[in-house]
Amino acid sequence: DGLNVLFIVVDDLRPVLGCYGDKLVKSPNIDQLASQSVVFSNAYAQQAVCAPSRVSFLTGRRPDTTRLYDFYSYWRMHAGNYSTMPQYFKENGYVTLSVGKVFHPGISSNYSDDYPYSWSVPPFHPSTEKYENDKTCRGKDGKLYANLVCPVDVSEMPSGTLPDIQSTEEAIRLLNVMKTDKQKFFLAIGYHKPHIPLRYPQEFLKLYPLENITLAPDPWVPAKLPAVAYNPWMDIRQRDDVKALNVSFPYGPLPDDFQRQIRQSYYAAVSYLDVQVGLLLNALDEVGLSNSTIVVFTADHGWSLGEHGEWAKYSNFDVATRVPLMFYVPGMTTSSVSQRERVFPFLDPFSHVSGLVPQGQSTEVVELVSLFSTLAELAGLQVPPVCPEASFHVVLCTEGPSIVQYFNDSQEKVQEEKGGCADTCRCFNEEPVAFSQYPRPADTPQWNSDKPKLKDIRIMGYSMRTVDYRYTVWVQFNPNNFSANFGDVHAGELYMVETDPNQDYNIYNNTSHGCL
């Protein structure tokens, strides 16, 4: 009959999770999912900002094909009438349901989350979503502020709850409806945290004493970083608590003690998210659907936590583009389970000591643009064809191949086959590559460098990541005809992963780039 799909997408989550080797973060429920899943340790988003990334992976097309680099156009009108992943499942007999932030709300999804094309019923948004940026953070003076760092007493919040709590409750309700109706479903749930403001139940701070929080390993702006590559974290600067610090533009830096507070609150928000995921997966067990449901867990992009002197996303570095990605497939990533067997019992991060390891780990470099074709294959649907080079007229095709072929790759096998790679031309030709890109309005940081509108884009940074290196060129871009001029290179970056895993030492000017 085919498997159901539970698609969990998180906003701004970099892989700071126990299952990705993080020793500080407490994420037992996501780790438990990983222990039954194939986990990809080198998965990358196509653009490190919400709307372009989500439209990209939900259509299976890259930003140059969706022509969305900002928040202000709807691809069906602006680029081509492309089918989406949920639409494809809907057309193949699935009930498709959206809870929370799946598509980015607003113009980029036609103010409807692409309903009715993508979803069987109108998408659900938490009623408290509208308070996300309100003054709900209590300062030391007892007054309310719109802060970046925002631990809260949930009982004092509007309606006595938070958006992600409401989304979990609605998703659990829908799981019970689906069990009763006995219909195949594609249920997508989009969680807001750890997107800013870092607003979460204050008890999660107990998990992360401030004395245990370190600064980023490289909290400085690298000497050879091209100015065009730097993002000046304007959304952070606009928060009340950051405004009060009078940080200089564009490079800051933020005071060390405040950097630790941001990192502490980001981790606390991740553990709050983990509880929501745990409750959701526990409910999947409760309704007896764990043995017939694919679970996918990922994020729209990462988030800088002080690395390179940067915060937020808006860049081509790994910290902004790398995401968690795992697939639980009953009978494939784990042995078949009976209907009453518990796969995902809820684990309390305040008492649980996590020691779970992923069921299978692949180090292959993969991209979120492959999600569409991968999920189609896992669900037993016909995999959409590969897009031709120009596909604006093609309704159904994808630019990301299925990654199911990597599900059986163990880390040892991949390392054994790799055997190092000194010749970057050969690597590019033979190894998987992840492509990301980011637009800029100018060669130096401006007030709109993080989120330039289409009409203001003058430069596009195209970045490719292999298992060995990240290579980026910043080239002239014409927003009127969406063309990049690779003959007009404004700046370049080259980082070798083995010797420079944090991407601090740009060797672009030391090397020849003929093959690239």
Side-chain angles (χ1 to χ4, degrees), residues 162-233:
L162 291 170
D164 285 346
I165 295 172
Q166 289 185 291
S167 290
T168 301
E169 291 166 350
E170 174 65 9
I172 291 172
R173 185 188 75 79
L174 289 171
L175 285 175
N176 280 281
V177 170
M178 288 300 101
K179 181 199 176 186
T180 304
D181 291 356
K182 294 184 168 58
Q183 287 181 286
K184 280 191 303 186
F185 63 84
F186 179 105
L187 170 57
I189 175 164
Y191 284 115
H192 281 270
K193 294 305 117 179
H195 191 286
I196 66 169
L198 298 170
R199 187 170 68 132
Y200 54 87
Q202 60 195 15
E203 58 268 25
F204 286 90
L205 272 178
K206 294 176 198 160
L207 294 172
Y208 303 100
L210 204 53
E211 58 267 25
N212 293 351
I213 307 299
T214 59
L215 298 180
D218 52 351
W220 63 87
V221 180
K224 293 186 178 179
L225 181 72
V228 69
Y230 186 82
N231 67 280
W233 32 281

Side-chain angles (χ1 to χ4, degrees), residues 377-393:
E377 182 173 348
L378 290 173
L381 306 181
Q382 186 170 348
V383 179
V386 175
C387 290
E389 192 166 336
S391 63
F392 297 105
H393 61 290

Side-chain angles (χ1 to χ4, degrees), residues 156-453:
E156 293 181 356
M157 292 300 98
S159 303
T161 188
L162 291 170
D164 285 346
I165 295 172
Q166 289 185 291
S167 290
T168 301
E169 291 166 350
E170 174 65 9
I172 291 172
R173 185 188 75 79
L174 289 171
L175 285 175
N176 280 281
V177 170
M178 288 300 101
K179 181 199 176 186
T180 304
D181 291 356
K182 294 184 168 58
Q183 287 181 286
K184 280 191 303 186
F185 63 84
F186 179 105
L187 170 57
I189 175 164
Y191 284 115
H192 281 270
K193 294 305 117 179
H195 191 286
I196 66 169
L198 298 170
R199 187 170 68 132
Y200 54 87
Q202 60 195 15
E203 58 268 25
F204 286 90
L205 272 178
K206 294 176 198 160
L207 294 172
Y208 303 100
L210 204 53
E211 58 267 25
N212 293 351
I213 307 299
T214 59
L215 298 180
D218 52 351
W220 63 87
V221 180
K224 293 186 178 179
L225 181 72
V228 69
Y230 186 82
N231 67 280
W233 32 281
M234 289 301 295
D235 55 353
I236 305 290
R237 295 171 188 275
Q238 290 157 15
R239 304 289 162 170
D240 289 345
D241 49 354
V242 180
K243 271 187 197 169
L245 298 170
N246 292 317
V247 180
S248 64
F249 180 88
Y251 296 111
L254 289 170
D256 287 1
D257 61 338
F258 194 73
Q259 291 193 40
R260 288 189 177 90
Q261 287 178 47
I262 298 175
R263 288 167 70 90
Q264 175 193 39
S265 276
Y266 186 91
Y267 303 148
V270 171
S271 290
Y272 159 57
L273 161 76
D274 182 77
V275 166
Q276 303 311 309
V277 172
L279 293 169
L280 177 65
L281 294 175
N282 182 67
L284 191 70
D285 268 355
E286 292 282 349
V287 295
L289 294 173
S290 298
N291 64 335
S292 56
T293 303
I294 297 164
V295 181
V296 189
F297 179 90
T298 193
D300 53 359
H301 44 72
W303 212 77
S304 296
L305 281 166
E307 295 87 1
H308 315 109
E310 296 189 315
W311 301 89
K313 47 258 189 177
Y314 316 126
S315 82
N316 281 322
F317 284 116
D318 276 17
V319 284
T321 57
R322 184 170 169 246
V323 293
L325 178 62
M326 60 189 78
F327 297 84
Y328 162 78
V329 188
M332 184 181 190
T333 64
T334 185
S335 55
S336 295
V337 291
S338 65
Q339 195 153 355
R340 295 213 171 94
E341 195 178 335
R342 301 307 299 268
V343 185
F344 305 119
F346 177 76
L347 303 174
D348 184 349
F350 290 93
S351 58
H352 184 79
V353 179
S354 186
L356 296 167
V357 294
Q359 176 72 20
Q361 190 143 18
S362 174
T363 57
E364 292 285 358
V365 173
V366 297
E367 306 174 280
L368 289 187
V369 75
S370 289
L371 277 170
F372 190 160
S373 50
T374 302
L375 275 174
E377 182 173 348
L378 290 173
L381 306 181
Q382 186 170 348
V383 179
V386 175
C387 290
E389 192 166 336
S391 63
F392 297 105
H393 61 290
V394 182
V395 172
L396 179 65
C397 68
T398 71
E399 293 180 328
S402 169
I403 59 173
V404 173
Q405 59 179 316
Y406 300 139
F407 274 39
N408 293 323
D409 281 351
S410 69
Q411 197 159 356
E412 294 76 17
K413 180 183 161 198
V414 173
Q415 291 296 338
E416 188 182 307
E417 288 176 354
K418 181 168 124 11
C421 187
D423 179 349
T424 51
C425 299
R426 181 182 63 78
C427 288
F428 177 54
N429 291 333
E430 295 179 9
E431 290 191 22
V433 176
F435 293 97
S436 303
Q437 61 190 99
Y438 212 85
R440 295 281 189 239
D443 286 301
T444 54
Q446 314 287 314
W447 67 270
N448 63 338
S449 286
D450 295 343
K451 294 187 282 188
K453 291 186 175 177

Side-chain angles (χ1 to χ4, degrees), residues 471-484:
Y471 177 80
T472 305
V473 284
W474 297 90
V475 302
Q476 186 266 335
F477 184 84
N478 184 338
N480 299 314
N481 61 9
F482 304 93
S483 66

Side-chain angles (χ1 to χ4, degrees), residues 27-41:
S27 52
N29 293 287
I30 298 170
D31 297 346
Q32 179 171 246
L33 173 63
S35 74
Q36 303 289 333
S37 302
V38 167
V39 175
F40 286 88
S41 57

